[in-house]
Amino acid sequence: MLEQLREGSQQAFRQLYDRHSRQVAAFVYHLTHSAVDAEDILQETFLKLWTNREQLPAIVHPGNYIFIIARNKTLDHLRKISQQQRLVDHIWANISGVADALELQLDARESQALINQALSQLTEQQKNIFRLSRQEGLDHATIAAQLGLSRSRVKNVLVETLRFIRQYLAQHSVLLVLLLNYAGII
């Protein structure tokens, strides 16, 4: 039968296909878990057998040879899927990272906007003390010296200011207050 196949006999090819296609399809399906992929690989296997018929080596068991072709085609297919999945995972990780960063930036902008709204309702003295303490990182003694106030006055104004900001933010978002407290902003 292989001699006939080498000579281009379609009938010999049909007999090989009829004899081995079901087992090959089942074998490939078992490895891929996909009926569509199994059918494609089955077709590729027998196409390779037909297109390379003139170069067929001396084969004692044609079924084994067909299964080896199917196995190799299946492994190639699985490698390709694995590479595609790694690429998708990599792209998704990059997209997720960018999306998370953008979400954090938006949250930070919204938080800062609410804080700025709260600060706009403070007196000039409260604004100055808050700015010097929280934005410039100065201690109470330094702020008191710069503004000509006592340390206890600076501390009291800062406590009142922070209480006001917390209350203002609580009116707008309980969750935002928790996040800001956790981050150490207020």
Side-chain angles (χ1 to χ4, degrees):
M1 188 177 337
L2 288 178
E3 255 331 291
Q4 293 173 348
L5 180 63
R6 276 190 203 104
E7 294 170 4
S9 168
Q10 291 180 2
Q11 184 178 0
F13 178 77
R14 172 53 68 188
Q15 286 176 347
L16 281 173
Y17 184 85
D18 290 343
R19 187 177 298 167
H20 300 288
S21 64
R22 294 180 91 185
Q23 294 91 351
V24 169
F27 169 73
V28 174
Y29 179 80
H30 177 73
L31 295 174
T32 63
H33 304 288
S34 168
V36 172
D37 291 342
E39 183 64 30
D40 288 346
I41 292 169
L42 175 69
Q43 296 303 320
E44 289 176 22
T45 299
F46 280 94
L47 179 64
K48 181 171 181 166
L49 184 66
W50 177 255
T51 57
N52 294 333
R53 67 185 178 278
E54 294 172 355
Q55 292 87 23
L56 283 175
I59 301 169
V60 176
H61 301 287
N64 291 348
Y65 185 76
I66 292 169
F67 270 90
I68 289 171
I69 294 172
R71 180 200 65 197
N72 292 341
K73 293 280 183 194
T74 303
L75 291 175
D76 289 345
H77 174 75
L78 293 174
R79 279 187 205 105
K80 182 179 176 184
I81 288 174
S82 175
Q83 289 172 345
Q84 289 171 343
Q85 186 59 47
R86 279 195 301 268
L87 179 61
V88 166
D89 291 346
H90 179 72
I91 290 170
W92 183 250
N94 287 339
I95 289 172
S96 294
V98 169
D100 290 345
L102 288 174
E103 187 174 335
L104 287 173
Q105 285 179 344
L106 290 174
D107 288 346
R109 285 183 192 154
E110 290 172 7
S111 301
Q112 191 59 50
L114 281 175
I115 292 170
N116 289 341
Q117 289 172 4
L119 291 174
S120 70
Q121 297 180 22
L122 298 174
T123 66
E124 284 304 312
Q125 186 181 53
Q126 288 172 318
K127 288 178 191 176
N128 285 336
I129 292 172
F130 181 83
R131 180 182 51 79
L132 292 170
S133 173
R134 293 299 189 250
Q135 294 171 350
E136 294 185 22
L138 300 178
D139 61 19
H140 294 172
T142 307
I143 296 170
Q146 277 189 11
L147 299 178
L149 302 170
S150 69
R151 286 180 55 202
S152 62
R153 176 69 182 145
V154 169
K155 181 179 176 184
N156 290 340
V157 169
L158 194 54
V159 167
E160 290 172 13
T161 302
L162 292 174
R163 183 180 306 129
F164 173 78
I165 292 172
R166 283 188 191 102
Q167 289 172 350
Y168 184 86
L169 294 176
Q171 293 172 356
H172 293 86
S173 171
V174 173
L175 179 60
L176 182 59
V177 172
L178 293 173
L179 291 173
L180 293 175
N181 274 330
Y182 179 75
I185 296 172
I186 58 170

